[in-house]
């Protein structure tokens, strides 16, 4: 791929394969961060490490120091046993880069190598290498540690095997869903299995809750606004001949629209109360808010599109046609500054059936060159825009 020099491409691929072979779980990205620092050092780029755990923040100075443009990558892997059979497969039992974060880190290092050669960057470019995206709280920690100080715009992207390699999907509006958790605790009255009249059966109350919760999405929500409520765990009872006194339900709530998100949360709470009352059980519901949806700002999306067109040409710039209900903690940056999050096409023929978070997930490494070239263009067009506005 001629988007970047062959020797740089080889270097970036070597980093990716090294990271892939040595994956580290969220909050444990010690070695990975060390590799990032080594690469930045070799380019003569100043950085600070040990931010919010193992985060790294680097800066490539431009004409204007602030506001600046931030580009973000994530460092962590997942607790999955790799089954790809790749020659550079994970050497760590039960840990795998199954979401392409090895690629995100190395593509941003590739972009750093390109940007450091630019003689006249309009503004300073900040590179954010964050820990713990998979646990959904690394971005928040980086923001709290000052990663967005002086930042005017923030950009990022994800490797995506739904799209052909060489393409970039640039989409305005919501591109990832919010991700919240809920836990419902049912306290009834346990007793002998043959004496239901003396019991408040937590299995029955819990089952009703599972079914009632399903009607929130199917009967309460506007079908044109995507939403998901999943009960992923239902725990109750101790023996076949005992009526259960307690049950616990845990699940996840996804929405692309902030109002839909609140409606889903409130409905789960309402249904929990009502079903408890209906059957004389004590039902409590706890909602744990996770990351908000990723919503791409329209004006920044057009900057991203412009950069993508320059990098890969008009006909290789596509858009996501379907809602992605996965969470992405890039949204934590967007609480503070506007930004745009894109997808880098990277399908490997024959691997279409192995999505991110699968033990056989793999991606076409040529996407690394595409992304590095895109980030370079983007840093320049976004930097010009910031400079002209200030
Ligand atoms: Ni990911």
């Amino acid at each position: 791929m001629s988007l970047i020099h062959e020797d740089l491409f080889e270097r970036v691929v070597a980093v990716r394969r090294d990271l892939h072979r040595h994956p580290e779980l969220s909050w444990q990205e010690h070695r990975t961060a060390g590799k990032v620092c080594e690469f930045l050092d070799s380019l003569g780029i100043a950085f600070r490490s040990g931010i919010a755990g193992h985060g790294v923040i680097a800066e490539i100075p431009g004409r204007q120091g602030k506001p600046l443009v931030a580009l973000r990558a994530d460092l962590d892997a997942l607790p999955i046993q790799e089954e790809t059979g790749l020659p550079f497969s994970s050497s760590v039992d039960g840990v795998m880069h199954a979401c392409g974060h090895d690629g995100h880190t190395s593509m941003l290092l590739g972009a750093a190598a390109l940007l450091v050669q630019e003689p006249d960057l309009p503004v300073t470019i900040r590179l954010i290498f964050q820990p713990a995206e998979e646990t959904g709280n690394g971005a928040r920690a980086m923001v709290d540690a000052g990663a967005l100080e002086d930042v005017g715009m923030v950009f990022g992207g994800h490797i995506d095997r739904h799209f052909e390699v060489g393409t970039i999907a640039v989409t305005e509006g919501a591109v990832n869903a919010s991700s919240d958790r809920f836990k419902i605790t049912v306290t009834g009255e346990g007793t002998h299995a043959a004496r239901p009249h003396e019991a408040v059966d937590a299995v029955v109350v819990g089952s009703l809750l599972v079914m009632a919760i399903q009607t929130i999405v199917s009967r309460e929500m506007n079908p044109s606004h995507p939403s998901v409520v999943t009960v992923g765990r239902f725990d109750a009872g101790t023996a076949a001949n005992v009526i259960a006194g307690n049950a616990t339900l845990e699940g996840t709530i996804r929405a692309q629209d902030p109002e839909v998100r609140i409606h889903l949360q409130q409905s789960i709470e309402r249904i929990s109360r009502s079903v408890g009352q209906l059957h004389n059980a004590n039902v409590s519901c706890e909602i744990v808010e996770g990351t908000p949806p990723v919503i791409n700002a329209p004006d920044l999306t057009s900057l991203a599109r412009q950069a993508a067109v320059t990098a890969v040409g008009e006909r290789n710039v596509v858009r996501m046609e379907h809602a992605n209900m996965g969470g992405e903690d890039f949204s934590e940056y967007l609480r503070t500054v506007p930004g745009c999050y894109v997808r880098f096409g990277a399908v490997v023929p024959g691997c279409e059936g192995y999505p991110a978070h699968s033990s056989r997930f793999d991606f076409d490494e040529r996407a690394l060159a595409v992304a590095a070239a895109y980030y370079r263009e983007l840093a320049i067009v976004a930097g010009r825009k910031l400079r002209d506005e200030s």
Side-chain angles (χ1 to χ4, degrees), residues 39-345:
F39 198 101
L40 293 168
D41 245 341
S42 77
L43 297 170
I45 295 174
F47 61 84
R48 289 179 292 142
S49 58
I51 315 239
H54 298 295
V56 179
I57 293 181
E59 263 172 31
I60 306 169
R63 255 175 191 238
Q64 176 177 293
K66 60 182 180 179
L68 52 79
V69 172
L71 306 174
R72 171 274 206 172
D74 36 20
L75 303 166
D76 56 333
L78 284 158
I80 292 173
Q81 181 64 43
E82 178 158 357
E83 293 181 311
T84 59
L86 289 168
F88 50 89
S89 280
S90 171
S91 63
V92 186
D93 240 16
V95 184
M96 175 191 176
H97 268 294
C99 198
H101 297 191
D102 49 345
H104 301 164
T105 297
S106 44
M107 63 173 63
L108 193 57
L109 290 171
L114 297 173
L115 285 165
V116 82
Q117 288 169 23
E118 287 294 325
D120 196 22
L121 283 174
V123 303
T124 294
I125 308 301
R126 180 173 297 164
L127 310 172
I128 301 174
F129 297 89
Q130 75 156 75
E133 192 286 322
E134 296 295 356
T135 47
N137 48 4
R140 184 75 252 150
M142 289 298 277
V143 174
D144 291 343
L148 290 181
E149 257 164 48
D150 301 328
V151 172
M153 301 176 180
V154 62
F155 298 95
H158 207 291
I159 281 169
D160 194 325
R161 46 124 224 158
H162 291 100
F163 301 99
E164 299 278 311
V165 69
T167 62
I168 304 176
V170 186
T171 316
E172 192 180 306
V175 290
N176 277 95
S178 58
S179 175
D180 303 325
R181 284 185 298 126
F182 64 88
K183 181 176 180 180
I184 302 171
T185 309
V186 179
T187 311
E189 190 66 54
T191 187
H192 194 288
R195 304 190 63 78
H197 55 291
E198 290 173 4
V200 175
D201 189 340
V203 165
V204 171
V205 176
S207 305
L208 278 167
L209 274 165
V210 173
M211 298 315 291
I213 282 171
Q214 299 313 303
T215 63
I216 300 172
V217 172
S218 67
R219 301 291 82 184
E220 282 187 33
M221 307 313 301
N222 182 334
S224 65
H225 297 301
S227 53
V228 178
V229 177
T230 293
V231 178
R233 191 160 171 271
F234 183 171
D235 188 39
T238 52
N241 59 353
V242 177
I243 289 176
N246 299 289
T248 312
L249 284 73
E250 287 178 83
T252 185
I253 310 166
R254 308 295 173 109
Q256 290 204 326
D257 181 305
E259 279 176 31
V260 170
R261 181 188 190 190
I262 292 168
H263 187 146
L264 293 170
Q265 294 175 354
Q266 290 175 343
S267 294
I268 290 172
E269 283 170 339
R270 189 194 74 237
I271 287 173
S272 298
R273 275 196 310 272
S274 308
V275 170
Q277 204 179 23
L278 185 63
H279 289 282
N280 283 328
N282 220 316
V283 178
S284 69
C285 174
E286 183 195 358
I287 308 261
V288 181
E289 284 213 347
T291 49
V294 175
I295 300 175
N296 286 338
D299 47 337
L300 275 70
T301 306
S302 46
L303 287 178
R305 184 169 292 112
Q306 196 185 325
V309 168
T310 311
V312 295
E314 184 96 53
R315 67 190 183 91
N316 290 315
V317 180
V318 295
R319 44 171 291 123
M320 287 166 72
E321 299 297 341
H322 305 288
N324 181 341
M325 300 309 285
E328 164 58 64
D329 82 353
F330 185 76
S331 54
E332 293 290 350
Y333 301 98
L334 301 182
R335 284 183 198 260
T336 310
V337 291
C340 181
Y341 196 74
V342 302
R343 317 290 296 186
F344 302 112

